[in-house]
Amino acid sequence: MPVASASSHREAPLIAGDPAVDNTDVYAFVSPDSPDTVTIIANWFGLQEPNGGPNFYPWATEANYDIDIDSNGNGKPDVSYRITFNNDDRRGGSTFLYNNGPVTSLDDENLLFRQNYTLSVSHGANDWKPIVTGPAAPSYTGPASIPDYAPLVKQATKSLPGGGSVYVGAAEDPFFLDLRVFDLLYGGNLSEVGTDTLAGYNVNTVVLQVPMKDLALNGDAKRNPVIGVWSDTERRSLQLSPGAAHPVGEAVQVSRLGNPLVNEVVVPVNLKDAFNGLSPSKDATIPEVVKAVTDPELAKLIQAVYQVPAPAGPRNDLVEIFLTGIAKNAPTLDGSHPPIQADLNSQVLNADVQAQAFQPSEMLRLNMSVPVTAKPQRLGVLAGDLQGFPNGRRLTDDVVDIAVQAMEGAAASGKLVDALAAGDKVDANDVKFSDTFPYVALPSKQAGGAKSSVVGDIAPAAASKSNDSGTPVLPVAAGSAGVTALAFVGGWLWLRRRRA
């Protein structure tokens, strides 16, 4: 089956040459072991080989790494968290080593290169206030240098004032898929799928867990449970001279990520760099961006290579998924009726949202009122699991299979596309996630690439309840009445994955 590529690993020409500030993936879900909080995971600097020394994978000190939350649907952040870094380089001029012996703690004298971070918060007015400082866990440099990374993760995890936690450091890349898609969609040979191309690679990660009230509109997660989430990176320009680089000027946004796969396989190449610098509030004002959503290239490629008919346009179902969130009264761009008649994850469902201020914009949307699923389904909403992608994104969600089914119209039609039902045959991460914060797996000890996927038990990273009939039920905001339990009705049928 043809699939899209890794979420935002090298997705645009300019950012491909600046991996330290390249957003790779964003995840947002109700914390399974702390259900009054939301966990947001933002990753940068993908495709890290664990043996990629001697400089390994530092965070950029002249960059702002941001996590943004929009609670009122205007495409602008109402709350933002910013992580900035400084170096503590103890190598002097005497060694090329990152560490000169085994590292067993963050203050181990053998750790010669260290980075510290400051986490700040803003409430939409560039009013940045530092709330936490701490050491980042270092790059994983191999089993001889770091025999056990778990203690470093624990030491790098800090509590937030007012509740919640933050972890900053390295992790195994949680995204799983077969990446050979760019070889002309597997060269039309579906027998060659099934390799988790990202197995063995690591990323730099920020895992942020915060109380729902800190993210919700007016601080009320019951009346206003839907939020939009994205990450971005701002970088100052570098003035180069022989043997040196000096940051100059103001920081400029150079990378951005909300939903997986959007810039990679929806946005055409001539818009990719511009999209990375765009505010979500501007998305629907750019006709070329809108056309990429309503008339997507990927569906046409699948039809050309595999003879699976592309759904007819305009694709207002994709407008709901990517730009407005899913709701019965979601504002379509052409004024037509929203094709996905369900109340799931649009900010228009928030009781205190002003409809006239709503702006279609690309971001990962999460309805925080959907309870944690006891048995998460990898196909998320398409499998009747309302807490899964595209309602937020859990670590275990198979977003490639979900996204391709949605691209071929499954979300609007109410049934899976049989010809694509097998997926890319990479249905789970190659290593198990943790049951507890920060949930991500420890950095891989093996060099990455070309490893077979391991399908087995995986720790749940989020979830939904069912009613007595077993049908998933979705609580949403309903005007001033607050949160009301509503089931999807009408032509929207819960999709069940068909066995091959």
Side-chain angles (χ1 to χ4, degrees):
M1 170 210 115
V3 297
S5 171
S7 188
S8 185
H9 299 68
R10 300 169 51 84
E11 88 291 352
L14 286 178
I15 204 64
D18 199 1
V21 293
D22 184 6
N23 303 76
T24 63
D25 286 281
V26 171
Y27 303 80
F29 51 86
V30 176
S31 308
D33 55 339
S34 183
D36 60 342
T37 69
V38 166
T39 296
I40 300 172
I41 300 173
N43 295 335
W44 283 267
F45 211 152
L47 302 173
Q48 297 182 12
E49 289 272 9
N51 53 6
N55 298 304
F56 295 98
Y57 310 101
W59 299 86
T61 56
E62 69 285 349
N64 301 322
Y65 296 88
D66 293 348
I67 295 172
D68 303 303
I69 295 93
D70 171 19
S71 57
N72 62 12
N74 67 356
K76 300 176 182 180
D78 296 297
V79 181
S80 293
Y81 295 89
R82 170 168 291 175
I83 306 93
T84 54
F85 294 86
N86 63 76
N87 294 341
D88 179 7
D89 192 342
R90 305 183 179 194
R91 291 172 293 192
S94 62
T95 182
F96 62 83
L97 294 172
Y98 190 93
N99 54 285
N100 61 0
V103 175
T104 58
S105 68
L106 295 183
D107 58 1
D108 194 313
E109 63 181 11
N110 292 331
L111 183 58
L112 302 179
F113 181 79
R114 311 177 186 200
Q115 291 195 292
N116 299 300
Y117 70 89
T118 298
L119 174 66
S120 303
V121 65
S122 169
H123 292 89
N126 208 29
D127 53 341
W128 296 101
K129 175 185 177 182
I131 55 175
V132 168
T133 60
S139 296
Y140 179 72
T141 57
S145 294
I146 304 180
D148 188 358
Y149 200 86
L152 307 187
V153 172
K154 185 175 181 179
Q155 294 165 27
T157 298
K158 299 295 181 180
S159 297
L160 301 182
S165 301
V166 62
Y167 165 70
V168 180
E172 192 269 344
D173 193 333
F175 198 52
F176 51 92
L177 80 168
D178 191 322
L179 247 179
R180 200 198 141 212
V181 63
F182 288 118
D183 186 10
L184 296 180
L185 301 180
Y186 301 114
N189 182 358
L190 298 184
S191 68
E192 297 189 14
V193 297
T195 296
D196 183 357
T197 318
L198 295 180
Y201 288 107
N202 300 323
V203 292
N204 288 347
T205 190
V206 174
V207 185
L208 185 65
Q209 187 174 91
V210 292
M212 291 180 180
K213 62 180 178 60
D214 291 354
L215 306 178
L217 181 62
N218 296 333
D220 191 337
K222 291 185 177 181
R223 284 177 57 83
N224 306 299
V226 180
I227 58 173
V229 179
W230 71 97
S231 65
D232 69 74
T233 323
E234 298 177 351
R235 188 196 255 291
R236 298 176 66 192
S237 298
L238 294 177
Q239 185 176 57
L240 304 180
S241 59
H246 302 282
V248 296
E250 297 295 322
V252 175
Q253 182 176 308
V254 295
S255 185
R256 158 193 168 191
L257 184 71
N259 282 289
L261 312 170
V262 171
N263 201 3
E264 196 125 31
V265 300
V266 176
V267 177
V269 68
N270 65 317
L271 296 177
K272 288 181 181 294
D273 292 325
F275 184 85
N276 264 345
L278 202 64
S279 165
S281 63
K282 302 295 185 182
D283 291 341
T285 69
I286 310 297
E288 295 85 355
V289 172
V290 173
K291 185 176 185 297
V293 175
T294 59
D295 186 24
E297 178 187 12
L298 179 58
K300 297 176 182 178
L301 292 175
I302 292 173
Q303 177 173 312
V305 176
Y306 294 101
Q307 291 77 53
V308 177
R315 296 295 304 280
N316 285 325
D317 56 331
L318 299 183
V319 170
E320 281 192 82
I321 291 170
F322 293 132
L323 295 178
T324 66
I326 298 170
K328 295 176 183 177
N329 64 336
T332 56
L333 301 178
D334 59 7
S336 63
H337 199 55
I340 306 176
Q341 277 294 285
D343 286 331
L344 180 60
N345 67 343
S346 175
Q347 288 103 324
V348 299
L349 298 170
N350 288 339
D352 297 330
V353 158
Q354 298 179 358
Q356 66 273 20
F358 186 88
Q359 179 66 29
S361 48
E362 194 281 306
M363 60 184 71
L364 183 67
R365 289 175 168 86
L366 172 68
N367 188 328
M368 300 183 291
S369 70
V370 179
V372 174
T373 305
K375 295 182 179 180
Q377 300 295 312
R378 69 176 185 87
L379 292 184
V381 173
L382 292 183
D385 179 357
L386 297 185
Q387 206 202 17
F389 181 73
N391 183 28
R393 179 183 177 187
R394 302 167 298 192
L395 293 170
T396 56
D397 287 339
D398 192 346
V399 296
V400 170
D401 285 6
I402 296 169
V404 171
Q405 285 285 341
M407 188 65 66
E408 292 303 302
S413 68
K415 62 180 181 178
L416 297 179
V417 179
D418 284 335
L420 307 178
D424 65 351
K425 297 184 180 179
V426 181
D427 296 342
N429 198 39
D430 58 305
V431 293
K432 187 176 181 179
F433 301 120
S434 173
D435 293 319
T436 58
F437 187 89
Y439 307 111
V440 290
L442 298 177
S444 175
K445 297 182 179 181
Q446 286 185 287
K451 292 184 176 67
S452 297
S453 62
V454 178
V455 180
D457 293 334
I458 293 185
S464 114
K465 287 184 179 176
S466 299
N467 60 19
D468 292 339
S469 66
T471 302
V473 175
L474 170 63
V476 298
S480 60
V483 177
T484 304
L486 295 177
F488 286 117
V489 294
W492 177 260
L493 302 177
W494 295 125
L495 305 178
R496 302 294 181 184
R497 180 164 177 79
R498 300 180 180 179
R499 297 184 181 274

